[in-house]
Amino acid sequence: FALACEATDTFSRVYFVCLPTPMREDGSCDLSIVEGVLNELAAVPGDRIAVIKSTVPPGTTKHWNEKYVESGLNVVFNPEFLTEANALDDMREQNRIILGGPRPHINKDKQVFSAAFPKVPITKTSSTTAEMVKYMTNNFLTVKVAFANEMAQVCEALDKNGLDVDYDKVVEYAKLDTRLGDS
């Protein structure tokens, strides 16, 4: 859904776009749902800011800013870092906010986020850097899951061969290394 935040003059004309960007059969990102909303916002008169929360390929926000420059629609990327199981708590208790886009627009967005999350540090950067942060985080977490699954398979194979390996104990004891922690 796209959510308009129109509570006060400071926050008016800032729209949060939180829509799916599904993967196509060839592995590319389908941006058509987000672009459909951006096209609608571009048709609204006046200056507006669309804050994209959806995962998009690096360079997408820059492209959209070039595409919509004449319409008065400005696009900022704000990656969200939510887990499926705890999305609401993750949103309420976020430990960082990253805003990527043209400076005057991320400054206005910073006012919006500062009002809602006064104690959370806000980082302002280019949209492509913010998009890459989201990609790096997603991929790093995916690698950790894949690695854990591989280690579980190794432990299972060793255990089946009579070597008495308990994956849960391996994880418990490995986490004692402070470099790993609970991650």
Side-chain angles (χ1 to χ4, degrees):
F1 67 93
L3 172 68
C5 181
E6 305 248 10
T8 68
D9 285 342
T10 304
F11 302 154
S12 66
R13 320 269 305 157
V14 175
Y15 300 86
F16 290 84
V17 180
C18 316
L19 296 164
T21 52
M23 189 179 351
R24 294 187 179 111
E25 283 188 31
D26 67 359
S28 65
C29 185
D30 180 356
L31 301 170
S32 62
I33 300 167
V34 176
E35 285 186 342
V37 168
L38 293 177
N39 288 336
E40 289 180 30
L41 288 173
V44 175
D47 289 332
R48 290 138 343 272
I49 299 174
V51 180
I52 305 298
K53 305 286 285 177
S54 308
T55 302
V56 299
T60 301
T61 304
K62 184 178 186 317
H63 164 74
W64 284 334
N65 275 312
E66 292 165 358
K67 178 179 178 178
Y68 297 112
V69 69
E70 297 298 321
S71 73
L73 177 64
N74 300 286
V75 185
V76 169
F77 184 69
N78 169 232
E80 56 186 12
F81 305 102
L82 309 177
T83 58
E84 188 174 338
N86 302 306
L88 192 54
D89 288 338
D90 291 343
M91 187 274 301
R92 288 180 180 148
E93 299 169 18
Q94 53 193 304
N95 63 0
R96 78 256 189 232
I97 295 169
I98 298 173
L99 300 171
R103 184 88 38 205
H105 311 302
I106 58 176
N107 288 340
K108 184 169 185 176
D109 288 344
K110 183 177 179 180
Q111 291 176 321
V112 172
F113 281 98
S114 293
F117 305 98
K119 295 181 181 181
V120 179
I122 298 174
T123 300
K124 299 184 298 183
T125 188
S126 75
S127 58
T128 306
T129 298
E131 292 161 342
M132 275 305 301
V133 168
K134 178 65 173 169
Y135 264 80
M136 177 179 265
T137 303
N138 284 359
N139 285 311
F140 182 73
L141 295 172
T142 300
V143 167
K144 285 177 31 173
V145 170
F147 177 76
N149 288 337
E150 289 295 319
M151 291 296 99
Q153 290 176 9
V154 169
C155 289
E156 279 180 25
L158 292 171
D159 194 51
K160 284 181 183 175
N161 287 330
L163 295 174
D164 190 28
V165 177
D166 179 342
Y167 173 74
D168 292 328
K169 291 295 180 189
V170 170
V171 170
E172 178 184 342
Y173 304 147
K175 288 182 352 183
L176 296 173
D177 185 328
T178 57
R179 295 171 299 170
L180 300 180
D182 288 332
S183 73

